[in-house]
Amino acid sequence: DTAVSQTPKYLVTQMGNDKSIKCEQNLGHDTMYWYKQDSKKFLKIMFSYNNKELIINETVPNRFSPKSPDKAHLNLHINSLELGDSAVYFCASILGQGNTEAFFGQGTRLTVV
Amino acid sequence: GQQVMQIPQYQHVQEGEDFTTYCNSSTTLSNIQWYKQRPGGHPVFLIQLVKSGEVKKQKRLTFQFGEAKKNSSLHITATQTTDVGPYFCGGATNKLIFGTGTLLAVQP
């Protein structure tokens, strides 16, 4: 029973396309994050939602739009994909806003060709 | 804004050697967390440090939190090939910001 699940695990798409990545957690946590991990393994925060409300938006292009229909789900929609968007995207959830451990999804490897 | 830096970015050791990664935050933290990511996998929580000057051990791993609660270190004694992977510190204030990570390679 996966605590934080992301779909899809792999995504290959052409430049200019629009795609979505979905994330769901069954832990009852309040806060969910999207992180981007590039080829150098740097883990950069993108967005954070607390109880369906956006609380962090870290200088991410507005082609990226998160959506949280409820506190168990945080989806990421990307418009007009660019080559530089290729990375692994991780969803994570936390009880509270950072005082407890983060549980990560298995990641979505996005390749833009 | 809050920044968390880690050094070194990359470390290559021979099996049996020790390894240390350092984490520095631009702001005072409420806690620091350490994660390990296995190759091809996702970051997995190792430990959380909350108190100023706190030291915790997990088998061959020793974690320290600085007195000012702005820096931390992870030390691995006698590395094994199973220790390979990026190690991340996560600095928590009202959000969880990860350090740049240290990629550990262990040669048998």
Side-chain angles (χ1 to χ4, degrees), chain A:
Chain A
D1 206 18
T2 306
V4 182
S5 59
Q6 279 179 244
T7 53
K9 189 170 182 181
Y10 299 97
L11 184 55
V12 181
T13 188
Q14 289 187 328
M15 280 175 54
N17 283 351
D18 304 339
K19 290 293 178 186
S20 292
I21 307 171
K22 295 185 176 183
C23 180
E24 176 182 3
Q25 55 95 1
N26 62 7
L27 299 166
H29 286 172
D30 308 298
T31 304
M32 296 181 74
Y33 289 81
W34 277 111
Y35 292 93
K36 178 181 179 182
Q37 186 171 48
D38 60 23
S39 57
K40 293 183 179 179
K41 302 297 184 184
F42 296 159
L43 203 57
K44 295 180 183 174
I45 187 171
M46 299 176 69
F47 300 103
S48 176
Y49 269 73
N50 178 264
N51 282 318
K52 301 193 300 176
E53 289 191 20
L54 179 67
I55 56 172
I56 296 169
N57 180 343
E58 292 280 333
T59 322
V60 178
N62 58 16
R63 297 183 294 106
F64 290 79
S65 52
K67 282 190 172 57
S68 182
D70 54 63
K71 74 173 193 177
H73 295 84
L74 180 61
N75 304 323
L76 183 65
H77 187 76
I78 316 170
N79 289 326
S80 303
L81 279 155
E82 300 177 357
L83 292 177
D85 297 332
S86 296
V88 181
Y89 291 83
F90 285 103
C91 172
S93 79
I94 298 176
L95 182 65
Q97 292 191 41
N99 290 326
T100 57
E101 69 179 276
F103 290 80
F104 282 82
Q106 77 271 33
T108 296
R109 181 174 293 278
L110 171 65
T111 304
V112 183
V113 297

